[in-house]
Amino acid sequence: MSKILFVVTGTDHWTLADGTRHPTGFWAEEAVAPYQAFKAAGHEIVVATPGGVVPTVDQGSLAPQFNGGQEGADRMAADLAAFTELQSPISLEDVHLDDYAAVFYPGGHGPMEDLAVDATSGDVLTRALESGKPLAVVCHGPAALLAATKADGTNSFKGYDVAAFTNEEETQGGFADKAKWLLQDRLTEAGVRVQVGEAWAPKVVVDRNLVTGQNPASAAPLADELLKKLV
């Protein structure tokens, strides 16, 4: 049995352009679906957050409207409660990458607040990428890629094809005109090639050892692609 490192946002808010704090954290489906897939395949999960804080779930991700109704919402809440590793994270600063067979970053708006500017997380991403071990990032998780830089200042993921939450999806979600910046734009500015798929439909992009997904619906297929790399 190998270990998979889950790097999860440690914040409970996203600061908007007008300075207000939008309550957020990680998105439930993006953590739960891969967790279930990895556990079913026999892998051990270790959660890491900045400072080792217990991560906050975005309450919106537990709402019936995002889970196909109340029954789905109840099931998601139960599945999230079963993800007990979330309650005892280690600190990102204490991560020894050699201990893990793969690295995974879920999204939610939280990474836009903390992981996008977290140098320790950026170093973990850079080292994971350069090591060749499977690395998977989904939805707003790719905000963390912005903190991954080489010694010369260029982004470690420059020239890579990725999927990430798109400007269209941010607009339809009601936040594009409220955000300080948009993920698709920032990644593009950093030289990362964002492959845009249909809004809200599953889209997974594989480029070398990097596997990325566009939105919550991409979390489960992304997990499948990561598992293929662990065979």
Side-chain angles (χ1 to χ4, degrees):
M1 181 173 69
S2 59
K3 291 182 181 179
I4 297 178
L5 179 70
F6 266 56
V7 180
V8 184
T9 178
T11 191
D12 62 1
H13 69 275
W14 176 33
T15 306
L16 302 177
D18 65 359
T20 59
R21 290 184 168 193
H22 172 67
T24 187
F26 69 89
W27 197 259
E29 181 181 2
E30 296 167 24
V32 166
Y35 173 78
Q36 291 179 328
F38 300 155
K39 292 285 280 192
H43 299 289
E44 180 181 345
I45 305 301
V46 176
V47 174
T49 63
V53 301
V54 175
T56 299
V57 65
D58 187 316
Q59 289 298 317
S61 66
L62 299 175
Q65 69 189 92
F66 295 117
N67 291 284
Q70 188 60 52
E71 183 178 338
D74 292 343
R75 186 166 55 249
M76 182 62 70
D79 290 343
L80 183 63
F83 189 167
T84 55
E85 292 89 343
L86 286 167
Q87 301 307 312
S88 54
I90 65 171
S91 174
L92 256 180
E93 291 75 13
D94 295 332
V95 166
H96 298 287
L97 206 55
D98 290 344
D99 294 342
Y100 304 96
V103 178
F104 170 68
Y105 278 64
H109 278 113
M112 300 276 282
E113 182 76 19
D114 61 351
L115 298 181
V117 293
D118 190 300
T120 302
S121 170
D123 182 59
V124 167
L125 284 165
T126 297
R127 289 187 290 122
L129 188 70
E130 293 177 348
S131 74
K133 70 179 59 191
L135 169 62
V137 193
V138 68
C139 199
H140 286 94
L145 274 52
L146 298 170
T149 53
K150 298 179 181 178
D152 64 2
T154 60
N155 191 279
S156 301
F157 294 85
K158 182 179 180 179
Y160 276 77
D161 290 321
V162 306
F165 203 69
T166 65
N167 290 356
E168 180 184 4
E169 287 166 325
E170 205 71 84
T171 299
Q172 292 181 10
F175 286 103
D177 60 347
K178 301 176 183 177
K180 291 181 179 179
W181 48 272
L182 298 178
L183 180 55
Q184 181 184 330
D185 292 346
R186 277 287 177 89
L187 288 171
T188 300
E189 290 165 7
V192 183
R193 298 196 297 252
V194 180
Q195 305 299 311
V196 177
E198 179 186 346
W200 313 110
K203 182 175 178 63
V204 175
V205 173
V206 180
D207 188 344
R208 288 156 276 187
N209 59 313
L210 176 65
V211 183
T212 49
Q214 181 171 309
N215 45 37
S218 306
L222 173 140
D224 292 339
E225 288 295 333
L226 184 68
L227 286 172
K228 290 177 185 177
K229 290 183 174 292
L230 286 172
V231 173

